[in-house]
């Protein structure tokens, strides 16, 4: 989908809400919720849902609850509860004390189940999981009714009570809704409402319960108890909407939120499924949930993405009902534009080549002024030390220019050092293998901030002073998968993991001014890209920088040739 096709922020959901307000529905109130299951870290797809739900609440002067959908205790963990809260906050949203857990409602959910039983709308079923599946039928064939379907209310109440009291083993019985085994919608064929789970300690309720409600039963009731007006979810729940409505229509709850579905975000060259991201982490394909290659919020943050850029991305992709896969370039452009505007410029040499400036006095380093941003004067200037020995990038020198486009340094040629002087290369020193180890140059002291008369010097390269530079480790990232849609290539998606998604460069040199950079701080390394100081890593006293994103292609074409 191209960015132009989107209708955000005037998306179809906002149109529905506008209409509801006009007709006085919900007394003009707007209440949404973001309902993650705490079984993994949030990913960029969740960011779309967060921006939508919290964004609507903000714009309509409404509320947005953060609710943990914690009905699967065996997969969930407190670590995820904490990480999710941290990520939502970091994205810039505030639930303002409206933090809930579906498990807060276990008692009410139970009591509504009793109400359904009393009204003949639910029954305890003794069929095993396989039998339930077999009885369910298919898209073409209706299901068959369970032999337990016509139990008396008394028997059902008794059995449900005994389920709750722990008398039966896992899987021995379930509570099912009594709807319609012939419904064309399989979700309506007497779906399971409660199952038995012994031996798990729920992160919120401990060992209090051994029966747990199913998502499709829990979700509508949680929404209604919280007074949600618009329950926004992804398209795969469209077929579940009749059940959402059935649950609320068949219990004595006064509130009936409206479920509205929108399409999930899919992003090229990565995956946005918590189950698969969990596999990548557990099987060691990546270095944890916050690995900078992961499409998780934690990974993107560590990679150097700003929350502003992610919100901007969510605005640009918009909210529609059509399935789509967004190009990675859209996300990359958002962070590039943000950092282009806000990241101070610095110099760093990734592949160092030593240059000795022979006519520069020994032991007399000077401090040169450099602007922190080419357009934004308010970002100020800094001092950069210059000396007799500097590092330049290996890629900026060739003995002989391969073509006329090559504007960098060549043997016998001149080039401008960014923020400093023009130098000329007089001699190339090689080791026994013929590899270049050092350049001998001279500088022209009259060229600081101005071009010498009559000499055309087109190339500008970056550098750092040998005696002042700080050694750093720099990590370059590429896409995690080498196919745009690794999940739909007909094979195991793991076969398409890009083996070269991480390049670690040691012995890089960065400008002295970054000595006191803070973890997470972002810079543009001139001509190299946007980088941030890793949140967690100082590798053997060397700072570690992550490349967030490369520079715009047009920039490198124009400037580095
Ligand atoms: P996953 O498939 O990655 O496990 P999920 O839907 O099971 O995702 P939840 O924690 O249940 O994960 O999701 C919380 C909310 O985020 C839900 O409302 C869900 O619809 C929404 N959401 C999840 N993935 C996406 C996505 N890719 N794009 C948009 N919204 C999403
Ligand atoms: Mg889910």
């Amino acid at each position: 989908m191209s960015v132009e096709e989107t209708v955000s922020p005037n998306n179809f959901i906002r149109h529905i809400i506008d209409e509801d307000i006009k007709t006085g529905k919900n007394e003009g109130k707007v209440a949404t919720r973001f309902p993650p299951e705490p079984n993994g870290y949030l990913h960029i797809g969740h960011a779309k849902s967060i921006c939508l739900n919290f964004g609507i609440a903000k714009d309509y002067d409404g509320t947005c609850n953060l609710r943990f959908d914690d009905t699967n205790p065996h997969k969930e963990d407190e670590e995820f509860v904490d990480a999710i809260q941290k990520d939502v906050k970091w994205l810039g949203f505030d639930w303002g004390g409206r933090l809930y857990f579906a498990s807060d409602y276990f008692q009410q959910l139970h009591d509504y189940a009793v109400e359904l039983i009393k009204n003949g709308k639910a029954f305890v079923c003794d069929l095993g999981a396989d039998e339930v599946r077999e009885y369910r039928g298919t898209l073409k064939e209706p299901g068959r009714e369970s032999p337990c379907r016509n139990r008396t209310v008394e028997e059902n109440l008794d059995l449900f009570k005994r389920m709750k009291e722990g008398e039966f083993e896992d899987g021995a019985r379930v509570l099912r809704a009594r709807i319609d085994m012939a419904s064309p919608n399989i979700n309506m064929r007497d779906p399971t409402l409660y199952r038995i789970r012994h031996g798990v300690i729920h992160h919120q309720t401990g060992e209090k319960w051994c029966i747990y409600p199913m998502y499709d039963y829990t979700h509508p009731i949680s929404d209604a108890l919280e007074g949600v007006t618009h329950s926004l979810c992804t398209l795969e729940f469209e077929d579940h909407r009749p059940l959402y409505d059935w649950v609320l229509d068949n219990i004595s709850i006064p509130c009936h939120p409206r479920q509205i579905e929108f399409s999930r975000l899919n992003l090229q060259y990565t995956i946005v499924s918590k189950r698969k991201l969990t596999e990548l982490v557990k099987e060691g394909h990546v270095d944890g949930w916050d690995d900078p290659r992961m499409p998780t919020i934690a990974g993107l943050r560590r990679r150097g993405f700003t929350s502003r850029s992610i919100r901007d991305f969510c605005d640009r992709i918009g909210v529609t009902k059509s399935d789509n896969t967004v190009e990675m370039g859209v996300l990359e452009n958002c962070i590039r534009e943000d950092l282009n505007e806000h990241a101070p410029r610095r110099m760093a040499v990734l592949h160092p080549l030593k240059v000795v400036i022979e006519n520069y006095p020994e032991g007399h380093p000077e401090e040169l002024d450099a602007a922190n941003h080419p357009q934004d004067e308010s970002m100020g200037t800094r001092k950069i030390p210059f000396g007799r020995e500097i590092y330049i990038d290996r890629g900026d020198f060739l003995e002989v220019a391969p073509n006329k486009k090559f504007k960098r340094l060549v043997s016998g040629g001149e080039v401008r050092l960014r923020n400093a002087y023009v130098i000329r290369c007089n001699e190339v020193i090689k080791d026994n293998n013929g590899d270049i180890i050092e350049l001998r140059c001279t500088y022209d002291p009259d060229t600081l901030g101005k071009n010498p008369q009559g000499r055309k010097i087109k190339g500008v390269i970056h550098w750092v002073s040998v005696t002042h530079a700080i050694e750093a480790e720099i990590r370059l990232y590429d896409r995690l998968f080498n196919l745009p849609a690794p999940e739909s290539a007909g094979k195991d998606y793991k076969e398409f993991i890009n083996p070269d998604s991480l390049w670690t460069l040691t012995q890089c040199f960065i400008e002295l001014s970054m000595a006191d950079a803070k973890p997470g701080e972002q810079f543009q390394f001139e001509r190299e890209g946007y980088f941030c100081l890793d949140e967690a890593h100082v590798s053997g006293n060397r700072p570690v920088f992550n490349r967030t994103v490369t520079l715009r292609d047009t920039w490198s074409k124009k400037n580095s040739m």
Side-chain angles (χ1 to χ4, degrees):
M1 183 188 67
S2 75
V3 172
E4 293 72 34
E5 278 169 49
T6 67
V7 286
S8 177
N10 258 327
N11 59 55
F12 78 99
I13 295 178
R14 286 170 184 255
H15 291 311
I16 293 174
I17 295 176
D18 289 338
E19 201 52 38
D20 285 349
I21 290 174
K22 228 189 276 165
T23 58
K25 233 177 137 185
N26 311 308
E27 288 139 19
K29 284 202 201 85
V30 176
T32 58
R33 85 287 169 271
F34 172 64
E37 182 177 357
N39 61 349
Y41 278 57
L42 297 179
H43 53 61
I44 184 79
H46 294 117
K48 173 175 176 173
S49 178
I50 293 168
C51 290
L52 176 66
N53 280 293
F54 281 94
I56 283 177
K58 188 163 158 259
D59 293 351
Y60 287 90
D61 226 353
T63 52
C64 180
N65 299 352
L66 174 60
R67 184 203 315 138
F68 287 100
D69 160 33
D70 55 349
T71 53
N72 272 316
H74 59 293
K75 286 191 187 156
E76 297 160 7
D77 198 284
E78 193 69 34
E79 176 199 350
F80 301 133
V81 171
D82 295 341
I84 289 170
Q85 293 185 53
K86 177 178 175 187
D87 288 348
V88 174
K89 270 189 209 149
W90 179 78
L91 274 175
F93 299 104
D94 181 5
W95 51 90
R98 309 183 68 88
L99 174 66
Y100 302 102
F101 291 82
S103 55
D104 295 341
Y105 313 131
F106 278 175
Q107 187 62 47
Q108 282 131 301
L109 289 159
H110 166 272
D111 297 348
Y112 283 123
V114 169
E115 188 184 327
L116 286 173
I117 295 172
K118 283 185 179 161
N119 292 328
K121 301 272 170 66
F123 65 99
V124 173
C125 182
D126 306 348
L127 294 179
D130 291 341
E131 287 167 307
V132 170
R133 205 169 304 126
E134 193 196 315
Y135 273 65
R136 191 178 294 135
T138 63
L139 283 173
K140 290 192 192 113
E141 281 170 44
R144 274 182 295 149
E145 294 188 351
S146 161
C148 309
R149 197 172 198 263
N150 294 318
R151 275 185 164 140
T152 62
V153 168
E154 286 66 37
E155 199 183 348
N156 280 319
L157 286 173
D158 175 59
L159 286 170
F160 187 52
K161 183 160 170 262
R162 287 158 63 193
M163 276 172 67
K164 178 179 152 234
E165 285 168 356
E167 191 176 323
F168 310 121
E169 285 167 29
D170 284 16
R173 295 196 152 89
V174 292
L175 182 74
R176 295 174 68 179
R178 203 162 175 273
I179 311 180
D180 178 7
M181 288 309 289
S183 170
N185 183 339
I186 293 183
N187 295 305
M188 298 298 272
R189 295 184 188 167
D190 294 4
T192 300
L193 305 180
Y194 265 90
R195 71 249 195 253
I196 303 170
R197 267 207 193 276
H198 289 287
V200 281
I201 299 172
H202 189 286
H203 48 98
Q204 303 300 318
T205 57
E207 290 176 291
K208 179 155 187 244
W209 296 87
C210 69
I211 52 169
Y212 287 98
M214 302 296 288
Y215 175 86
D216 278 340
Y217 174 68
T218 309
H219 203 73
I221 298 178
S222 307
D223 280 348
L225 288 170
E226 291 173 14
V228 165
T229 56
H230 299 84
S231 178
L232 315 179
C233 63
T234 35
L235 276 177
E236 69 269 23
F237 291 103
E238 197 164 23
D239 289 346
H240 297 238
R241 186 173 359 115
L243 179 52
Y244 183 100
D245 290 331
W246 182 92
V247 170
L248 297 179
D249 286 340
N250 284 282
I251 58 174
S252 57
I253 204 161
C255 176
H256 193 136
R258 172 165 179 188
Q259 175 178 310
I260 307 169
E261 307 86 17
F262 62 94
S263 62
R264 298 173 71 83
L265 165 68
N266 296 304
L267 193 59
Q268 283 187 351
Y269 293 100
T270 190
I271 49 177
V272 282
S273 144
K274 252 190 288 176
R275 183 179 63 76
K276 290 174 187 165
L277 293 174
T278 304
E279 283 176 3
L280 293 181
V281 172
K282 285 207 171 141
E283 294 171 20
H285 299 289
V286 293
D287 186 21
W289 284 98
D290 69 344
D291 185 305
R293 292 167 292 183
M294 289 280 272
T296 50
I297 306 298
L300 291 166
R301 175 170 59 232
R302 195 166 150 204
R303 173 88 168 247
F305 278 73
T306 59
S307 58
R308 185 171 42 213
S309 69
I310 296 175
R311 290 194 303 269
D312 179 29
F313 171 72
C314 293
D315 271 352
R316 290 192 202 186
I317 57 171
V319 176
T320 67
K321 263 194 180 288
S322 48
D323 258 325
N324 57 67
T325 300
V326 176
E327 284 172 28
M328 187 59 106
V330 178
L331 179 61
E332 287 174 349
N333 269 334
C334 290
I335 186 62
R336 221 178 249 133
E337 285 176 26
D338 185 13
L339 293 179
N340 180 38
E341 199 179 329
H342 297 105
R345 276 38 175 178
R346 294 289 184 265
M347 293 199 285
V349 174
L350 275 53
H351 311 93
L353 171 62
K354 195 167 161 187
V355 171
V356 178
I357 301 168
E358 292 177 306
N359 62 339
Y360 195 87
E362 259 175 273
H364 284 93
E366 64 185 311
E367 296 216 299
L368 305 177
D369 285 313
N372 288 332
H373 195 284
Q375 284 96 39
D376 186 352
E377 277 179 26
S378 74
M379 290 179 74
T381 60
R382 67 191 187 281
K383 297 280 185 199
I384 45 173
F386 184 80
R388 188 177 149 85
E389 292 185 344
I390 60 171
Y391 291 119
I392 65 167
D393 198 275
R394 284 189 173 269
D396 284 334
F397 176 77
L398 281 177
E399 283 187 87
V400 183
N403 53 44
K404 271 195 184 155
K405 277 193 185 158
F406 190 83
K407 302 273 161 39
R408 294 169 263 181
L409 191 59
V410 293
S411 201
E414 286 187 311
V415 78
R416 171 169 290 282
L417 297 175
R418 175 97 177 115
N419 298 310
Y421 304 96
V422 170
I423 56 167
R424 169 185 296 280
C425 175
N426 303 316
E427 195 185 343
V428 182
I429 315 281
K430 295 180 180 173
D431 64 11
N432 293 336
N433 300 322
D435 290 333
I436 301 171
I437 52 170
E438 191 179 297
L439 303 179
R440 297 272 159 167
C441 295
T442 45
Y443 87 118
D444 181 343
D446 279 339
T447 53
L448 189 62
K450 60 177 196 262
N451 265 337
Q453 294 257 316
R455 287 179 2 231
K456 265 204 171 159
I457 293 139
K458 288 201 186 125
V460 182
I461 64 172
H462 59 281
W463 55 276
V464 291
S465 158
V466 169
T467 39
H468 304 90
I470 302 166
E471 197 175 326
E473 176 174 317
I474 293 183
R475 297 183 184 163
L476 308 179
Y477 300 100
D478 201 346
R479 293 171 182 184
L480 191 48
F481 290 90
N482 44 32
L483 265 195
E487 290 163 291
S488 42
K491 281 198 202 164
D492 179 7
Y493 71 96
K494 277 179 256 174
E495 288 190 25
F496 304 108
I497 292 177
N498 175 7
D500 297 322
S501 58
L502 168 63
W503 289 76
T504 301
L505 306 178
T506 53
Q507 284 197 307
C508 304
F509 290 97
I510 62 169
E511 208 184 287
L512 184 62
S513 65
M514 284 182 280
D516 47 6
K518 290 176 196 58
E521 203 170 333
Q522 288 136 327
F523 302 99
Q524 185 197 91
F525 290 174
E526 295 202 50
R527 303 176 67 237
E528 294 289 2
Y530 296 98
F531 294 78
C532 77
L533 184 58
D534 191 80
E535 276 183 11
H537 281 263
V538 178
S539 159
N541 286 335
R542 272 190 319 229
V544 173
F545 281 84
N546 296 316
R547 183 169 71 191
T548 310
V549 67
T550 53
L551 293 172
R552 212 179 291 275
D553 278 352
T554 48
W555 198 99
S556 54
K557 262 187 215 133
K558 249 190 274 157
N559 293 275
S560 65
M561 287 303 185

